[in-house]
Amino acid sequence: MAPTDETVPVDRHAASPTASTTPDRPPADAAAPGGRMPRWLPRAMVLALALIAAFQLGSWAFHQLTGLLINILIAFFLALAIEPAVSWMAARGMRRGLATFLVFLGLVIVTAGFVTLLGSMLAGQIIKMVEGFPDYLDSVINWINETFHTDLRRVDVQEGLLHSDWLRKYAQNSAAGVLDVSAQVLGGLFQLLTVTLFSFYFAADGPRLRRALCSVLPPARQAEVLRAWEIAVDKTGGYLYSRGLMALISGIAHYILFQALGVPYAPVLGVWVGLVSQFIPTIGTYLAGALPMLIAFTVAPWYAVWVLVFVVVYQQFENYMLQPKLTAKTVDIHPAVAFGSVIAGTALLGAVGALIAIPAVATLQAFLGAYVKRYAVTDDPRVHGHRTRGPGRPGGRTRIRQLWERRPGTEESS
């Protein structure tokens, strides 16, 4: 019997004219034979672990170097502030390193003089308080005896304080805290030395630093960097010099008042009010006026009131008359922007951020003003805050009269 179609084996590969003679390969991303992992997976895992380790190492290094980076930032802004004076002296033939040294020497002399005067004033007040403490204690004891009908004596109070557990524990804690205070003082001196050295190098080697920075940039970018550097120098230096001039005027004005009232340490208090009110943002005026008010109160209570009134009046004069004229060409920024920048700087860097916030924002504002394109504002009344009425829209009085005529009582009576 001849074989039929059902019994004849069919070669599928041969029967299909379009079939390929080579076996199909598995896709590249499929698992390897035998259930093994793909070849790319170990390398991807090693790369991911390396990236995580690099991120952790960088984060750790950044947190360890935060203090140094903040000191460098302070030094950079200080170098920008003294750059105009150093450049002015260098343009007249003086070596740049010597000019920077003379500027720093002047700053050190002024700071040392202020600290010495303030320390002598505080020492005198402390000695005066210690000498008058027995009389003050007697007056308090007499008031207690007369009010509560007791029989206290100063000798008994002193012996009780000397032999009390509270005083002993306080003395132990104070003795233990001396080491912490000494460590903080040494740390502060080290930070001051670091800031001074970096700011000296930044100011003395300013041209070399700019040349090194521009050497890695194309010519078009070099001009932009140099222009931004010039704006930063102008704004930061202008901020420092304008604040210094306002501090001088404020100190002289308050010194005249303290001298007229007979308040002790009038020169020191004048310097205190001038510097603190100008170089501590936002709350500097209140801190500056608190100390002279306290000392004036020891002379006569009404003198403290006079000092308070003068501080408030002078602050208004400075805000509306003196400051706009002195800062019009240096750091002319809106008061709300200045206040917000101080808050943001304090939140980011603490007291350091509060000090450098205003010149930093002034620099950014000047930089944006130089590069952001501006357009002429349309002559629309709404720009000046005047509301416009649409066609056929009644005014405010007309709408009120219409509502009054539509009230229920009016409709019924009509």
Side-chain angles (χ1 to χ4, degrees):
M1 179 183 292
T4 62
D5 294 338
E6 295 179 355
T7 58
V8 176
V10 179
D11 189 355
R12 296 181 180 179
H13 295 285
S16 177
T18 59
S20 176
T21 57
T22 59
D24 296 335
R25 294 182 179 180
D29 57 348
R36 292 180 301 174
M37 67 176 62
R39 296 179 179 179
W40 58 265
L41 186 57
R43 288 179 293 179
M45 294 176 63
V46 172
L47 180 60
L49 292 176
L51 291 177
I52 294 174
F55 175 77
Q56 294 292 336
L57 181 61
S59 178
W60 173 81
F62 178 79
H63 284 87
Q64 295 295 323
L65 298 176
T66 300
L68 178 61
L69 295 177
I70 293 176
N71 291 333
I72 293 176
L73 181 63
I74 299 172
F76 180 72
F77 272 94
L78 182 58
L80 292 179
I82 66 175
E83 176 77 17
V86 174
S87 299
W88 181 83
M89 298 171 69
R92 281 154 180 79
M94 186 178 296
R95 294 180 56 185
R96 194 173 182 87
L98 180 59
T100 307
F101 174 76
L102 292 178
V103 173
F104 270 97
L105 182 61
L107 292 176
V108 170
I109 292 174
V110 172
T111 305
F114 172 70
V115 173
T116 302
L117 292 175
L118 185 62
S120 63
M121 182 193 68
L122 294 177
Q125 291 295 321
I126 291 174
I127 292 173
K128 186 177 180 180
M129 290 174 60
V130 171
E131 292 177 350
F133 182 74
D135 297 333
Y136 177 75
L137 184 60
D138 288 337
S139 63
V140 173
I141 291 175
N142 292 332
W143 179 81
I144 293 175
N145 291 333
E146 293 177 0
T147 304
F148 300 100
H149 305 287
T150 57
D151 190 14
L152 296 177
R153 293 183 303 173
R154 188 177 69 182
V155 178
D156 298 335
V157 175
Q158 291 177 350
E159 290 181 355
L161 289 175
L162 291 175
H163 295 87
S164 62
D165 295 335
W166 173 81
L167 184 61
R168 179 175 56 81
K169 293 180 180 180
Y170 179 77
Q172 293 176 355
N173 294 331
S174 300
V178 170
L179 297 177
D180 297 336
V181 173
S182 302
Q184 292 178 0
V185 170
L186 292 177
L189 292 177
F190 180 75
Q191 290 182 355
L192 180 61
L193 179 62
T194 304
V195 170
T196 304
L197 289 177
F198 273 106
S199 58
F200 181 85
Y201 291 138
F202 286 154
D205 294 338
R208 185 183 304 176
L209 180 61
R210 287 190 287 270
R211 189 160 45 249
L213 182 61
C214 292
S215 63
V216 297
L217 298 174
R221 296 296 181 184
Q222 293 179 13
E224 301 294 334
V225 170
L226 293 176
R227 185 176 182 182
W229 194 294
E230 183 180 0
I231 291 174
V233 170
D234 292 339
K235 294 302 177 180
T236 307
Y239 171 77
L240 178 64
Y241 298 139
S242 61
R243 288 291 173 178
L245 183 57
M246 287 193 295
L248 178 62
I249 298 173
S250 176
I252 293 175
H254 287 85
Y255 165 73
I256 295 174
L257 173 69
F258 300 150
Q259 193 69 27
L261 295 178
V263 178
Y265 308 104
V268 184
L269 291 177
V271 175
W272 164 266
V273 173
L275 292 179
V276 174
S277 62
Q278 300 302 324
F279 289 98
I280 296 182
T282 308
I283 62 173
T285 303
Y286 308 103
L287 293 178
L291 182 60
M293 284 178 57
L294 180 62
I295 296 179
F297 186 82
T298 60
V299 179
W302 282 106
Y303 286 178
V305 178
W306 282 111
V307 171
L308 176 61
V309 172
F310 184 82
V311 168
V312 173
V313 172
Y314 181 82
Q315 186 66 27
Q316 302 305 315
F317 165 75
E318 180 182 281
N319 291 338
Y320 294 100
M321 298 292 296
L322 186 62
Q323 184 174 351
K325 294 182 179 180
L326 293 179
T327 61
K329 297 181 180 180
T330 55
V331 285
D332 188 16
I333 60 178
H334 195 274
V337 177
F339 182 72
S341 64
V342 170
I343 294 178
T346 305
L348 293 175
L349 299 177
V352 175
L355 291 176
I356 66 176
I358 294 179
V361 172
T363 303
L364 179 61
Q365 178 178 339
F367 186 76
L368 293 177
Y371 291 98
V372 175
K373 187 177 180 180
R374 296 181 179 272
Y375 301 91
V377 180
T378 179
D379 190 9
D380 195 313
R382 289 173 292 183
V383 175
H384 306 284
H386 303 300
R387 298 181 61 186
T388 58
R389 303 173 184 172
R393 184 179 179 182
R397 295 181 179 178
T398 305
R399 282 181 290 175
I400 293 175
R401 186 167 56 250
Q402 291 176 355
L403 292 175
W404 178 263
E405 292 176 354
R406 292 176 183 175
R407 71 187 193 277
T410 306
E411 294 177 358
E412 292 177 0
S413 59
S414 59

